[in-house]
Every structure is written in structure tokens, then in C-alpha cells.
Amino acid sequence: GSGNVILSGPVHNFPFRHHEGRFIVDSEIKDLDLYYHDGWPTIQDINGELIFEDAGMTMKANSGKIYQAQLQN
């Protein structure tokens, strides 16, 4: 896969909850399994984009599986 990283600002203030800097990781994901929490189903074989921005995380999934059911965007 491919991706980009931006880290700008005083590292001791990471993860920049008060906009003291910028932290961004934007990465292509392939066949990722997401185990979110006890009691929640694992989402498997996720393909798409994973973005960490400051203290947040976003996933833009094009496909995956949950309980063997195919997911498509």
C-alpha cells in the first residue's frame, strides 16, 4: 500500500487536541481486520483508506466482510 504522514508542531502537545500542530496519516489499506471491542463482530478483509487526523480516526472502506457477509461501497 501507500500513504502519507504529516507531523508538524510541538511533539509534547501530541495529539494536538487544541490545534497546537497537525498530525495526519493517510494510508491505503488492504485485507485489514478491525477488532473494535469485546462483543462486537470483527470486520475482516477491509480494503480502502485509513486516516488518522490529530486525535481522530476515519476509515473509508470500499469492501470487507462481517459474519462472512460481503460488504461493498
Side-chain angles (χ1 to χ4, degrees):
S2 63
N4 297 299
V5 176
I6 297 172
L7 178 58
S8 173
V11 176
H12 66 275
N13 288 338
F14 181 82
F16 309 125
R17 288 187 173 94
H18 304 288
H19 308 289
E20 310 94 317
R22 294 292 294 161
F23 171 70
I24 300 173
V25 175
D26 186 343
S27 180
E28 176 185 328
I29 54 174
K30 183 165 176 50
D31 299 326
L32 176 81
D33 291 348
L34 177 63
Y35 174 79
Y36 184 74
H37 193 273
D38 288 340
W40 287 55
T42 300
I43 304 174
Q44 301 172 306
D45 301 328
I46 300 168
N47 295 297
E49 183 179 12
L50 183 61
I51 303 164
F52 292 93
E53 185 169 355
D54 298 328
M57 182 187 89
T58 303
M59 183 181 306
K60 297 177 182 177
N62 297 321
S63 63
K65 289 190 300 192
I66 190 167
Y67 291 126
Q68 299 301 317
Q70 189 66 37
L71 305 172
Q72 295 287 329
N73 181 5

